[in-house]
Amino acid sequence: MKAVIFTKYGSQDVLQLAEIEKPAPQADEVLVKIAATAVNPADNHLLSGMLRFSSGLLKPKNQIPGSDIAGRVEAVGRNVTGFQVGDAVFGDISGHGRGGFAEYVAVPESALALKPANISFAEAAAVPMTAVTALQGLRDQGHLQAGQQVLINGASGGVGTFAVQIARALGGEVTAVVSTHKIEMARSLGASHTVDYTQEDFTQTGQQYDLVFDTVGNHSVAACRRALKPAGHFVTTTFLPTLLILGPWISFRDGQKMVNMMAKPNRQDLLFLKSLLETGQVVAVIDRCYGLDEVPQALRYLQEGHAKGKVIVSIS
Ligand SMILES: NC(=O)c1ccc[n+]([C@@H]2O[C@H](COP(=O)([O-])OP(=O)(O)OC[C@H]3O[C@@H](n4cnc5c(N)ncnc54)[C@H](OP(=O)(O)O)[C@@H]3O)[C@@H](O)[C@H]2O)c1
């Protein structure tokens, strides 16, 4: 099969399109013929060696990156009970050695869910990592309640486009922070208010929110606090080192909760998102599609930091 592999850390230039052996599923695994995969900032972090403490200190332990997959079940191991050959599935395989930038991957059935029938493979591949991150950030870390005011910083990217829609589905009143030419999109996804970050700084407007969900990490902890109500929550998908110390202190002293979050892929949340996709409450916004031989270009484009929704790689 064809796969995009890397054997050393570096820029996107270390990626090579290679012909390698097609995997065979173990007893509890499903072999998926991948139709589409998405690129994520985490793929660029993986390539650069930023994750080397888990991905291999000197060189990558697993040679095929790619976490989000959508495709059809080609074969199942003898202990697999939840899927049959031919089922359309999607999932985040980052906890199982990755391998999404390939024609086939064998993964435990626990990583997968049936694809919503009303969306394409490309749309399904856009969902797992970013939408689960948005869901867990808003619901589990941010404790978003119906009727609350939530601001989403970076509302036009992979995580942000899902966050706007999920916040709305959970009953929040959404303010989206975007650049001028993405205001219309944010409104069409369900934002009631927008802040154009090229004109205005949301931490300086005097407006305060029950929840600030941040996917950019471009403001200090002190600045973000100004945008929080007295018992408000701040959740960032990026990493603000000062929060490690200031977060617990602020919580103890003033009652505001401010955290760096790390999403945990799981099938229950994927099924929750599947129901939102089936009812049309959430849709995948796709910016561009690349081919498998164009994964380096897809990752470079994502790294520029201006994607409008998700960047997809179509495989079969
Ligand atoms: N912690 C976790 O578990 C987890 C999981 C997934 C992702 N992440 C992280 O979350 C972050 C976002 O991921 P992503 O997939 O959403 O990235 P992305 O798709 O690359 O985000 C790009 C978007 O950010 C917007 N943006 C850039 N600068 C901005 C600013 N100053 N203010 C507001 N919006 C701005 C861009 O809009 P313009 O083009 O208009 O500038 C663009 O639409 C990344 O750091 C990623 O590593 C963490």
Side-chain angles (χ1 to χ4, degrees), residues 260-280:
N260 295 310
M261 74 163 285
M262 187 53 71
K264 297 180 183 68
N266 66 81
R267 186 197 271 165
Q268 206 181 342
D269 286 346
L270 205 52
L271 291 173
F272 180 79
L273 290 163
K274 179 175 184 271
S275 65
L276 295 181
L277 290 155
E278 283 168 343
T279 56

Side-chain angles (χ1 to χ4, degrees), residues 75-87:
V76 294
R78 65 176 182 280
N79 296 339
V80 170
T81 54
F83 299 100
Q84 294 177 353
V85 172
D87 282 347

Side-chain angles (χ1 to χ4, degrees), residues 54-205:
S54 58
S55 63
L57 212 50
L58 300 177
K59 60 180 186 170
K61 281 187 286 199
N62 300 302
Q63 297 188 341
I64 312 175
S67 296
D68 286 325
I69 60 161
R72 271 197 198 281
V73 174
E74 175 97 352
V76 294
R78 65 176 182 280
N79 296 339
V80 170
T81 54
F83 299 100
Q84 294 177 353
V85 172
D87 282 347
V89 294
F90 71 139
D92 175 352
I93 58 171
S94 57
H96 305 282
R98 303 183 182 85
F101 299 163
E103 289 180 308
Y104 295 89
V105 69
V107 282
E109 63 173 326
S110 59
L112 302 171
L114 288 174
K115 178 181 84 64
N118 61 322
I119 65 172
S120 66
F121 284 109
E123 288 166 330
V127 173
M129 182 178 282
T130 40
V132 166
T133 301
L135 175 64
Q136 293 180 359
L138 294 163
R139 182 196 61 190
D140 305 340
Q141 302 289 338
H143 302 280
L144 180 62
Q145 305 294 318
Q148 287 191 329
Q149 292 178 314
V150 49
L151 176 134
I152 294 161
N153 186 34
S156 55
V159 177
T161 47
F162 283 115
V164 171
Q165 300 174 82
I166 294 168
R168 183 71 189 271
L170 295 174
E173 181 182 325
V174 178
T175 299
V177 182
V178 289
S179 59
T180 318
H181 61 295
K182 289 174 177 163
I183 288 175
E184 263 322 298
M185 178 186 70
R187 286 198 175 272
S188 73
L189 293 175
S192 304
H193 317 280
T194 53
V195 175
D196 179 345
Y197 78 77
T198 68
Q199 305 294 321
E200 218 176 355
D201 176 345
F202 78 87
T203 68
Q204 303 280 355
T205 60

